[in-house]
Amino acid sequence: MARKGLRMCMIVCSIFLIVVVTIILAISLTILKPKDPDISVHPYGLENFQIIQPNVTAVPLGMVITIVNPNYGTFNYKNTTGYLSYHDINVAKAVVVSGSVPARGLFNITTVAGIMTQKLMDDTQFWSDIEVGTLNFEATITLPGKVTMLKIFKKKALVHVACDLSFKLNLSSIHTDSSCISKIKL
């Protein structure tokens, strides 16, 4: 009789363990699976923005980088530098100060990129792009940091971001469009 009770207890414990392992595995493969953040870049202060200014080596371009974190972990990133390229030529860099993107939240980063006007004007396609009225840039940044889940689990992570920025130049204003692709690597 005691063996029958012990056997029944082992079967129940085994079934319980299988159910718990299955639930943990399902949660880790679905809910806790890292998702790429949604990132967008919004230049600001364009009402007074002039790329061509005499005797000016760098024109400041203010940017707000918006990060939407769809994950259940907080991302703490370190100081880093982003780059702005025009036809594969690095024309600006922007310092991004360390911060924390909350789990399932939104975070804005404000920075300024100093566009080196001489590098722009030295590019053979710059003047034809000005005539057309569109300047296309690529912004890239890599954010190194750590992901913290439930304030217990910590894992190193890198977020690579590449954005296409398009400046449409009119006589009275400048309009921008941006599209970004981001990838998280744990």
Side-chain angles (χ1 to χ4, degrees), residues 47-98:
E47 59 275 354
N48 298 322
F49 185 71
Q50 296 177 355
I51 292 178
I52 304 169
Q53 294 182 19
N55 301 323
V56 175
T57 56
V59 176
L61 173 65
M63 291 186 281
V64 175
I65 303 166
T66 302
I67 302 173
V68 178
N69 183 2
N71 296 299
Y72 288 92
T74 300
F75 179 62
N76 299 304
Y77 63 90
K78 300 175 185 174
N79 291 344
T80 190
T81 303
Y83 298 94
L84 192 65
S85 301
Y86 178 74
H87 295 287
D88 296 327
I89 298 170
N90 185 10
V91 295
K93 67 179 180 177
V95 175
V96 175
V97 180
S98 64

Side-chain angles (χ1 to χ4, degrees), residues 51 56-58 91 115-123 126:
I51 292 178
V56 175
T57 56
V91 295
I115 297 178
M116 295 174 266
T117 56
Q118 192 60 47
K119 282 190 174 184
L120 277 177
M121 291 188 281
D122 288 346
D123 190 297
F126 176 73

Side-chain angles (χ1 to χ4, degrees), residues 18 27 30 56 73 92 102 113 119 121 128 130 147 152 158 160 179:
I18 290 171
I27 287 173
T30 56
V56 175
K119 282 190 174 184
M121 291 188 281
S128 60
I130 290 287
V147 174
I152 299 171
L158 279 175
H160 300 282
S179 65

Side-chain angles (χ1 to χ4, degrees), residues 156-182:
K156 287 185 180 181
L158 279 175
V159 176
H160 300 282
V161 182
C163 298
D164 292 323
L165 297 172
S166 179
F167 291 83
K168 304 216 185 310
L169 312 170
N170 294 345
L171 292 175
S172 60
S173 64
I174 299 174
H175 298 284
T176 61
D177 292 323
S178 73
S179 65
C180 298
I181 298 172
S182 62

